Amino acid sequence: MLLTVLGCSGSVPGPGAPASGYLLEAEGFLLGIELGNGTFSELQSRRDPFELDALLFSHLHADHCSDFSALSVYRRYHPRPTIDPRANKLPVHAPAEAPTRFSAQYGTDAADRAVTDLSDVFDFQALQVGKFQIGPFEVVAAAAAHPCESFSFRISHGGRSFAYTGDTDVYDGLSDLARGVDVFMAEASWTHGGAVIPDLHMSGREAGEVAADAGVGRLLLTHIPPWTDTAAVLAEARAAFRGDVVLVRQGASYEV
Ligand SMILES: [Zn+2]
Ligand SMILES: [Zn+2]
């Protein structure tokens, strides 16, 4: 599997830095994970957006899905699409509210369904805790600790494994989900020990502690907001986890 970072700024985009968005590829299958603010621009600079084979959203906070509206316009109104987007609806694995939340960006009048019903180019599939398949990827979803319906994922393919926390505080079961994965991408939104809000995010230290507890191969830190000291987050994660720890970089790719 190859993971590419479209954006990794936490909670909001930073200067020249899109919010959360990733691509995961295997066997020529292109899975988009999150499409936060600014990521559709990054996607277009690398790929034809019609190459996406499926989308996966951990939750529906704007920093993870706001550019879905851009993709909607692109798929519905591009005058020269490279595929027929209506004959090839894009599977969208997302929390159950996604169709109504995304369509509300175009209006809330039920009589205006021709404009607001996005099922002409998307096939929405409501996420549930448990195991399912997306193309060649075996996905396990777990319920995360965040203020809305949110999921963490373990994704396996060809004997390799990847886990992504989504946005979450530490919760019972997170280490089990990530147990022994080759690559663990964890959010780390703040440094440890501040006046933190429970059930919202993890610190760098907590991301490192979960990585150590789960016995992962490599820890990738992401979702660090522009106002957080990234060097401090990295240092405390490295103090908690003795394996390889890196801050993901926008535009970089990582072998899983
Ligand atoms: Zn977020
Ligand atoms: Zn969030």
Side-chain angles (χ1 to χ4, degrees):
M1 293 184 274
L2 184 69
L3 174 73
T4 298
V5 178
L6 299 174
C8 54
S9 182
S11 301
V12 296
S20 295
Y22 312 94
L23 299 173
L24 190 66
E25 294 180 80
E27 293 181 31
F29 190 96
L30 187 60
L31 173 64
I33 304 176
E34 326 280 42
L35 267 182
N37 328 58
T39 53
F40 192 66
S41 172
E42 290 297 311
L43 174 63
Q44 288 176 89
S45 70
R46 286 172 179 77
R47 306 295 287 255
D48 171 1
F50 288 112
E51 290 177 15
L52 282 171
D53 292 302
L55 279 175
L56 177 64
F57 290 104
S58 66
H59 67 301
L60 300 177
H61 279 160
D63 61 311
H64 295 251
C65 68
S66 71
D67 275 13
F68 184 84
S69 60
L71 180 65
S72 300
V73 171
Y74 201 90
R75 288 183 66 86
R76 298 181 100 191
Y77 303 111
H78 195 298
R80 295 174 304 281
T82 52
I83 58 160
D84 179 349
R86 287 170 177 78
N88 299 277
K89 295 185 183 188
L90 185 66
V92 179
H93 301 266
E97 281 188 355
T100 50
R101 292 275 297 276
F102 290 154
S103 71
Q105 294 177 316
Y106 300 98
T108 53
D109 184 348
D112 207 14
R113 296 290 293 168
V115 172
T116 62
D117 182 0
L118 304 179
S119 67
D120 56 343
V121 294
F122 296 110
D123 174 18
F124 290 101
Q125 301 185 25
L127 280 175
Q128 293 182 332
V129 166
K131 189 182 292 188
F132 58 101
Q133 198 79 19
I134 302 179
F137 301 112
E138 181 187 282
V139 183
V140 177
H146 202 55
C148 57
E149 186 180 32
S150 300
F151 297 88
S152 307
F153 304 109
R154 180 189 180 104
I155 301 177
S156 305
H157 172 268
R160 302 289 290 177
S161 53
F162 167 70
Y164 167 50
T165 59
D167 280 8
T168 190
D169 200 345
V170 179
Y171 62 91
D172 287 345
L174 179 56
S175 291
D176 286 337
L177 182 77
R179 184 78 58 207
V181 294
D182 298 294
V183 175
F184 178 46
M185 185 167 71
E187 74 119 291
S189 296
W190 46 49
T191 50
H192 202 72
V196 301
I197 303 163
D199 295 334
L200 187 62
H201 292 300
M202 292 193 290
S203 66
R205 177 171 137 183
E206 287 166 330
E209 288 171 348
V210 173
D213 184 37
V216 307
R218 187 182 198 196
L219 172 60
L220 306 181
L221 298 174
T222 191
H223 199 277
I224 299 175
W227 51 75
T228 293
D229 182 343
T230 52
V233 167
L234 178 61
E236 59 182 51
R238 283 182 169 159
F241 176 64
R242 295 301 174 187
D244 184 31
V245 185
V246 297
L247 299 165
V248 298
R249 279 187 302 108
Q250 177 188 337
S253 292
Y254 304 87
E255 290 280 353
V256 177

